[in-house]
Amino acid sequence: MAQLTYREAVAAGIAQEMERDETVAFIGEDVARAGGVFKATVGLFDKFGPKRVIDTPISEQAILGAAMGAAMTGMRPIAEIMFSDFLAVCWDFVANEMSKSRYMSDGQLKCPLVVRTGNGGGSRFGAQHSQSIENWAMAIPGIKVVAPSTPADVKGLLAASVRDEDPVIFFEHKSLYAIKGEVPEGEHVDTLGTAKVVRPGKDATIVALALMVPRAIQAADKLMTDHGIDVEVVDIRTLVPLDMKTISSSVAKTGRLFTVEENPRLCGWGAEIVSIVVDELFWELDGPAVRITTPHIPLPAADNLEDITIPSVDRIYSKILDVLR
Amino acid sequence: MAKKKTLKNDDIDEKKRLELYNSQYLIRVAEQRAYDLFLENLVKGTSHLSLGQEAIAAGFATAMQENDKSFCTYRGHAHTLARGASVVGVLGELMQRDCGLMRGKGGSMHLTDTSKGVMGSYAIIGAHLPMAVGSAWRAQYMGHDDVATVFFGDGTTNIGAFHEALNYAVVYKLPVVFVCENNNYMEYTPIESITAVKNPAADRASAYGLDSIIIDGNDADEVYRTAQVAYSKARSGEGPSLIECKTYRQSGHSRADPGAYRPDGELDHWKKNNDPITRYRSRLIEFGVKQKIIDGIEENIKRVVDEATEEAKSSPVPPEEILTTNVYANGGWAWRN
């Protein structure tokens, strides 16, 4: 095992796939010579050169369109959209093009590409550089949606995304880039569509994603220490395909479900999961399923305001305690 | 005085000319058929015809090599047919039958036949320009010799993706040819009334360091020659071209649009004096092609389109079990376990 930061795991994942497969190339704004604004792709340009690691103009539509045209005709491109908020300017390619071309052409067209993007809050950047938009992506048939919470998952799920035959939107959390974790040595490839129980427990289930995972674990540890409440935490890891089996078996065991979501409340991913659980596991539940989310507001810039907007360890802890007591 | 052109001294030989005529005539008859079938309620939804614009599709497709890629708009029947897609497949798709190119899952606006290099028809204005750029990037990256051609209307020149794609293609010197079919109308609005420059594509070319190329889009020979130059430039690594083809849409924008926004007499003027098929037929005769040969081509095409129409009419509608196929690469639609 090697200790890598989350951002180093991004570069490691891309490098692993580029070494393996000549058809993998990487494009984006400031990703090559500068190594990315989040320094997540440092070293790739030096290693693979200007043919395979390419600085593009600020042209998000051209970036995604080019990735798509290349993917349709035999490459496996990785495209970076610097901040996930910017996906709104090229959303046509996500919502109408890469997601639908296979279906509309009845399988003639394929689109094996990865769109990597910096998602989420905590950086005090304000409403246009901080959003969690994974639920936008989840709402579109035809794409896959990945959002890792650890360096190992970054590398393994990124590799799986590159090898996947479908277009994948890969959400990296900006506030996790600096965290460190163990990453397996050598080739590391994970499996899309698999959630993970990252903290076993018996009294309640928290389902969380990306930055909310470490916060949920901390809250669960505190609930155990302070009140002896034993909470299981499930890291969803990929929203599409959604591993309901892992989630459902946890809820069946604990009888309680909490979702911790950074996306704004309305139509957040937790709503879908709660609805499935209510449909399919209603008689296993010992109480209401509760969603802990960012409220339905644009994100503020001020640190004190942002901190009370996004679910915090304290908020997760207090809410669960309130509901369970 | 310039020497009179004859088939002997011309750069386009008789075989090629007949190919160009065949292609134009096929598009004309198939598009008219599509219109008739629409009025019979056998073509469902919508339909955007290229009547009057046949020379552009024919000229470019005839100049392409087999592995070249075409990217089309919703007005894409012509380009799909010009690449040699089956007439049954095209009409069947318009009629949303199981025999359609995409078994009725795409419809008129999304004709695709990758076996013929038709990499799809796209109905969100501008989106397919960057895609063609991406195909060209792949060709350059992998050392393939194919060129991507992207066809779009005059209205597309006012959307951002047009400008992003051009800049991108020029910066990386990609083998892509941008073809603007300027048929004078952005849907119902005269293009000149809502564009800052007179020639919506060509006048923008200099902003991207490209030559300003304007051609008579109703002259298949001129289109064919221009395409050859652009393809040879692209294949020799000298980058993209932007070509504005002046033409006229003889049909409405879509469906049964009567085109009431057109000034009186305009349509008749174009049909009478500048119809690509009529012009080309005259040229063939002028160049000594026997009437019998022209008649033979026309008869054959009418027969092909008639037979295709009947075959498509008798094809079943798509089976319900394909509703959920090909959403994902595993063939299905499952988003959860």
Side-chain angles (χ1 to χ4, degrees):
Chain A
M1 290 280 193
Q3 279 275 331
L4 291 185
T5 62
Y6 189 96
R7 61 162 55 84
E8 286 166 346
V10 172
I14 297 173
Q16 172 184 295
E17 295 309 296
M18 288 185 71
E19 272 166 10
R20 180 187 62 84
D21 183 350
E22 276 283 320
T23 68
V24 179
F26 174 44
I27 61 175
E29 297 157 12
D30 282 331
V31 299
R33 287 167 184 84
V37 289
F38 303 114
K39 301 292 169 210
T41 56
V42 170
L44 294 173
F45 179 77
D46 291 337
K47 193 163 186 181
F48 297 101
K51 186 187 168 193
R52 300 185 70 190
V53 181
I54 301 168
D55 282 322
T56 66
I58 300 176
S59 299
E60 280 84 5
Q61 297 190 70
I63 293 168
L64 291 199
M68 193 180 159
M72 284 161 63
T73 55
M75 284 176 68
R76 288 180 176 274
I78 303 170
E80 176 177 306
I81 298 298
M82 195 185 286
F83 287 78
S84 64
D85 315 68
F86 305 170
L87 275 164
V89 303
C90 52
W91 199 239
D92 177 41
F93 290 88
V94 179
N96 286 318
E97 313 297 347
M98 63 179 72
S99 50
K100 295 187 170 72
S101 57
R102 179 182 290 278
Y103 186 81
M104 294 194 305
S105 68
D106 194 35
Q108 293 183 60
L109 295 170
K110 55 180 179 166
C111 215
L113 62 84
V114 180
V115 179
R116 291 182 39 246
T117 190
N119 193 46
S123 303
R124 319 330 189 179
F125 287 161
Q128 295 184 341
H129 284 69
S130 303
Q131 294 171 88
S132 279
I133 65 151
E134 62 273 11
N135 60 322
W136 301 1
M138 191 191 189
I140 300 164
I143 52 174
K144 292 179 176 169
V145 184
V146 180
S149 72
T150 68
D153 282 1
V154 166
K155 187 175 179 189
L157 292 173
L158 187 51
S161 299
V162 171
R163 296 178 195 200
D164 201 85
E165 295 299 323
D166 289 307
V168 178
I169 314 296
F170 193 87
F171 290 102
E172 293 160 16
H173 202 292
K174 297 193 289 289
S175 291
L176 289 173
Y177 276 127
I179 67 160
K180 272 194 165 177
E182 298 283 345
V183 178
E185 305 266 13
E187 188 178 79
H188 177 46
V189 189
D190 210 321
T191 308
L192 302 186
T194 55
K196 237 184 207 168
V197 176
V198 290
R199 185 193 187 286
K202 56 180 176 33
D203 298 329
T205 296
I206 300 179
V207 177
L209 187 75
L211 179 65
M212 298 299 100
V213 174
R215 291 189 181 179
I217 293 172
Q218 268 183 276
D221 288 346
K222 199 159 178 279
L223 283 163
M224 187 63 176
T225 311
D226 296 356
H227 303 280
I229 299 171
D230 190 11
V231 177
E232 180 150 298
V233 179
V234 177
D235 181 351
I236 309 177
R237 307 198 314 149
T238 71
L239 286 172
V240 181
L242 183 63
D243 181 6
M244 274 311 298
K245 278 188 182 156
T246 300
I247 295 168
S248 297
S249 71
S250 175
V251 174
K253 179 175 74 176
T254 65
R256 300 303 297 248
L257 170 64
F258 295 86
T259 65
V260 183
E261 304 163 55
E262 192 177 337
N263 55 210
R265 184 166 189 90
L266 297 194
C267 303
W269 54 258
E272 185 59 47
I273 289 174
V274 166
S275 117
I276 295 171
V277 165
V278 168
D279 263 359
E280 299 174 7
L281 292 164
F282 186 75
W283 304 108
E284 311 283 345
L285 290 172
D286 298 327
V290 175
R291 295 177 59 208
I292 302 165
T293 73
T294 291
H296 194 57
I297 57 171
L299 283 161
D303 55 3
N304 65 319
L305 296 179
E306 192 181 32
D307 284 345
I308 58 172
T309 302
I310 298 169
S312 61
V313 174
D314 283 348
R315 205 166 117 208
I316 301 164
Y317 170 89
S318 316
K319 185 72 189 176
I320 294 176
L321 198 57
D322 275 0
V323 171
L324 290 185
R325 263 213 296 231
Chain B
M1 201 177 113
K3 208 170 147 192
K4 190 176 183 304
K5 275 205 167 181
T6 67
L7 267 184
K8 289 207 171 66
N9 70 15
D10 196 57
D11 58 312
I12 305 175
D13 63 20
E14 180 168 337
K15 188 168 164 277
K16 202 50 88 180
R17 277 235 161 73
L18 293 180
E19 218 178 292
L20 283 162
Y21 187 64
N22 192 80
S23 180
Q24 292 179 86
Y25 200 77
L26 170 66
I27 296 165
R28 171 64 54 94
V29 176
E31 289 286 62
Q32 273 170 343
R33 182 59 47 84
Y35 185 74
D36 294 343
L37 291 168
F38 183 82
L39 294 181
E40 287 177 55
N41 201 28
L42 285 168
V43 166
K44 309 279 179 62
T46 191
S47 168
H48 303 75
L49 305 178
S50 290
L51 291 170
Q53 303 180 204
E54 296 90 345
I56 299 165
F60 276 95
T62 306
M64 287 180 199
Q65 61 184 40
E66 212 176 303
N67 62 347
D68 285 341
K69 309 284 184 278
S70 302
F71 291 81
C72 318
T73 65
Y74 51 82
R75 198 178 303 287
H77 313 164
H79 299 293
T80 307
L81 289 165
R83 293 301 306 274
S86 101
V87 183
V88 179
V90 170
L91 289 178
E93 189 63 32
L94 268 53
M95 293 163 73
Q96 305 176 358
R97 302 298 171 102
D98 200 32
C99 69
L101 287 177
M102 302 94 76
R103 302 187 73 187
K105 287 171 89 168
S108 160
M109 297 201 281
H110 302 294
L111 294 182
T112 305
D113 186 351
T114 56
S115 73
K116 303 289 182 189
V118 182
M119 303 309 290
S121 304
Y122 299 86
I124 308 289
I125 297 290
H128 64 313
L129 278 76
M131 286 181 220
V133 165
S135 174
W137 169 39
R138 179 268 319 148
Q140 182 191 65
Y141 182 94
M142 294 172 89
H144 299 160
D145 73 344
D146 61 295
V147 175
T149 307
V150 55
F151 301 97
F152 52 91
D154 40 87
T156 300
T157 64
N158 289 326
I159 205 163
F162 167 81
H163 298 273
E164 290 192 16
L166 278 168
N167 180 62
Y168 201 101
V170 171
V171 166
Y172 303 110
K173 263 192 158 179
L174 298 175
V176 52
V177 177
F178 296 90
V179 180
C180 174
E181 301 184 57
N182 182 355
N183 64 18
N184 291 325
Y185 289 94
M186 180 219 75
E187 203 167 45
Y188 310 145
T189 305
I191 188 66
E192 65 196 29
S193 70
I194 36 96
T195 307
V197 290
K198 185 166 178 288
N199 304 295
D203 291 351
R204 265 81 172 251
S206 64
Y208 302 104
L210 291 171
D211 291 337
S212 171
I213 302 172
I214 299 174
I215 64 168
D216 179 352
N218 282 11
D219 180 344
D221 286 349
E222 188 171 337
V223 174
Y224 175 70
R225 290 192 182 101
T226 309
Q228 283 180 311
V229 173
Y231 291 149
S232 110
K233 178 185 170 192
R235 268 187 253 283
S236 58
E238 289 165 56
S241 301
L242 170 62
I243 299 160
E244 180 169 337
C245 306
K246 300 288 192 191
T247 186
Y248 191 79
R249 192 185 72 214
Q250 292 183 7
S251 51
H253 167 73
S254 66
R255 297 169 60 97
D257 163 32
Y261 41 85
R262 291 194 276 231
D264 282 349
E266 186 182 85
L267 175 60
D268 286 343
H269 170 79
W270 280 85
K271 277 187 163 176
K272 213 170 135 194
N273 305 309
N274 199 351
D275 177 77
I277 311 282
T278 312
R279 281 177 67 187
Y280 211 78
R281 193 191 285 120
S282 305
R283 181 169 306 154
L284 291 178
I285 288 165
E286 183 195 329
F287 275 34
V289 176
K290 291 198 177 65
Q291 185 67 46
K292 219 174 75 183
I293 294 178
I294 299 171
D295 291 346
I297 288 176
E298 295 182 356
E299 297 299 309
N300 180 54
I301 282 171
K302 284 177 188 155
R303 186 182 49 78
V304 165
V305 174
D306 282 346
E307 285 173 9
T309 305
E310 292 314 309
E311 194 179 333
K313 277 182 181 172
S314 63
S315 169
V317 296
E320 288 182 6
E321 59 263 28
I322 69 166
L323 179 68
T324 51
T325 60
N326 285 320
V327 177
Y328 291 101
N330 64 6
W333 68 303
W335 53 273
R336 59 166 286 198
N337 61 12

